[in-house]
């Protein structure tokens, strides 16, 4: 495989993750454990139990491995920096060299191809206006934390909760004209999936596994996303290295788009990647 093919697949992996997110967001790691005196989870207290398992955080640095499973197969390493509700910065690397960057603030997500010097911008503000899902909720999704757009306190969110075998399903009472969505949780109240169905489109699904207890409470160390991008089935995932996570170190969220990059549209990016 040539360097151009490697970079192309890496850019495709990043593009798939950005597309799926916008269409559907120091500690020691240990296996998430059940408290010595666990609270019995019921339909009435599920969201309160989930909310109590989440801690507050201001910024996070964490290494990761990104995998693309469809429409091509590829994986790479990277480093992510998040400032809560303000910014997301992901550096994607091959053989230790930074070759692509995903950066997002409240208004826009950018994908930079540092080899071909392309930059592609995807607006987030329109997504927020339609659905109430902003960068803060995208960060929640990336860490496997439940949320309800417009509600700061998950325990007060208007969900209909029903038992689903040994698990739980959560459906919002307040329906959005832009998309239907729902969540599932396991018997202990850990988020297991989010399904979003935009009007006129198929499902976008995020699944969460390998939960660990961190400074910020329960987080999913593995997040997989799937859906359809421009008629093509796309599947990708991120495995966070929570052993090396650093929380609340005062990370700087300043960043600017390089002036000498060629700006291309998402449609142009897809056409370029098809040719690699």
């Amino acid at each position: 495989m040539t360097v151009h093919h490697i970079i192309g697949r890496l850019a495709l992996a990043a593009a798939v993750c950005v597309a799926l997110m916008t269409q559907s967001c120091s500690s020691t790691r240990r296996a998430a454990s059940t408290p010595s005196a666990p609270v019995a989870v019921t339909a009435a207290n599920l969201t309160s139990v989930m909310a109590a398992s989440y801690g507050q955080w201001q910024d996070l640095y964490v290494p990761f491995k990104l995998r693309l499973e469809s429409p091509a197969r590829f994986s790479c390493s990277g480093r992510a920096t998040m400032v809560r509700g303000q910014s997301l910065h992901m550096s994607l690397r091959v053989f230790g060299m930074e070759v692509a960057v995903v950066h997002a603030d409240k208004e826009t997500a950018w994908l930079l191809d540092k080899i071909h010097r392309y930059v592609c911008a995807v607006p987030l503000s329109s997504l927020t206006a339609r659905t109430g899902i902003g960068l803060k909720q995208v960060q929640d999704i990336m860490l496997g934390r439940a949320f309800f757009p417009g509600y700061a306190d998950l325990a007060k969110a208007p969900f209909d909760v029903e038992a689903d075998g040994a698990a739980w399903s959560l459906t919002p009472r307040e329906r959005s004209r832009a998309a239907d969505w729902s969540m599932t949780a396991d018997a202990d109240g850990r988020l297991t999936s989010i399904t979003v169905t935009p009007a006129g489109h198929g499902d976008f699904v995020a699944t969460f596994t390998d939960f660990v207890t961190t400074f910020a409470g329960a987080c999913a160390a593995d997040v997989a996303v799937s859906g359809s991008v421009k008629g093509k089935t796309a599947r990708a995932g991120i495995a966070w290295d929570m052993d090396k996570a650093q929380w609340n170190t005062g990370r700087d969220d300043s960043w600017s788009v390089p002036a000498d990059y060629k700006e291309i549209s998402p449609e142009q990016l897809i056409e370029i990647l098809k040719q690699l």
Side-chain angles (χ1 to χ4, degrees):
M1 182 180 292
T2 67
V3 172
H4 281 280
H5 278 86
I6 291 174
I7 303 308
R9 290 196 173 187
L10 180 55
L12 180 57
V16 165
C17 286
V18 171
L20 290 173
M21 283 192 299
T22 56
Q23 297 275 353
S24 47
C25 271
S26 60
S27 70
T28 56
R29 181 182 186 270
R30 64 184 185 275
S33 58
T34 302
S36 55
V39 175
V41 180
T42 67
N45 72 4
L46 174 62
T47 55
S48 295
V49 170
M50 297 175 79
S53 72
Y54 303 146
Q56 300 299 313
W57 60 280
Q58 288 75 50
D59 58 77
L60 166 64
Y61 164 85
V62 59
F64 64 87
K65 289 187 178 179
L66 175 69
R67 62 185 183 274
L68 175 67
E69 299 172 354
S70 178
R73 296 185 67 86
F74 187 74
S75 62
C76 69
S77 62
R79 303 168 186 173
T81 300
M82 304 185 201
V83 178
R84 184 66 166 146
Q86 299 295 321
S87 67
L88 164 67
H89 189 90
M90 302 178 72
S91 169
L92 285 74
R93 297 169 180 264
V94 173
F95 307 128
M97 179 179 69
E98 184 178 65
V99 295
V101 169
V102 175
H103 185 93
D105 60 20
K106 293 180 180 179
E107 300 295 325
T108 309
W110 290 271
L111 169 64
L112 269 69
D113 176 343
K114 299 192 72 172
I115 302 301
H116 304 96
R117 306 188 75 78
Y118 292 137
V119 57
C120 177
V122 179
L124 293 180
S125 54
S126 58
L127 173 71
T128 303
R130 293 195 313 270
T131 66
I133 296 176
L135 183 60
K136 189 174 183 179
Q137 289 73 38
V138 170
Q139 292 171 338
D140 284 335
I141 293 172
M142 296 181 77
L143 295 176
R145 295 161 62 111
F147 63 91
F148 196 109
Y151 284 78
D153 186 353
L154 181 67
K156 297 179 180 178
F159 280 113
D160 286 326
V161 180
E162 296 182 358
D164 185 7
W168 302 98
S169 64
L170 300 88
T171 306
R173 298 190 199 109
E174 300 176 359
R175 298 178 63 86
S176 167
R177 288 182 294 178
D180 289 330
W181 64 283
S182 61
M183 300 183 183
T184 61
D186 66 14
D188 295 319
R190 290 185 290 258
L191 183 68
T192 52
S193 73
I194 298 175
T195 300
V196 180
T197 309
H201 296 276
D203 292 344
F204 292 84
V205 181
T207 56
F208 311 97
T209 55
D210 192 15
F211 276 84
V212 296
T213 301
T214 73
F215 173 89
C219 292
D222 193 276
V223 180
V225 290
S226 63
S228 179
V229 179
K230 299 297 180 181
K232 297 288 186 180
T233 299
R235 293 192 303 274
I238 295 177
W240 304 112
D241 187 352
M242 288 298 181
D243 283 332
K244 298 179 180 178
Q246 299 174 18
W247 300 86
N248 300 342
T249 58
R251 296 275 173 175
D252 185 6
D253 65 348
S254 60
W255 184 82
S256 60
V257 179
D260 57 344
Y261 276 54
K262 180 182 178 181
E263 186 170 352
I264 61 174
S265 68
E267 292 76 18
Q268 288 175 305
L269 175 63
I270 290 173
E271 290 304 314
I272 290 171
L273 295 174
K274 285 180 179 178
Q275 299 171 20
L276 295 173

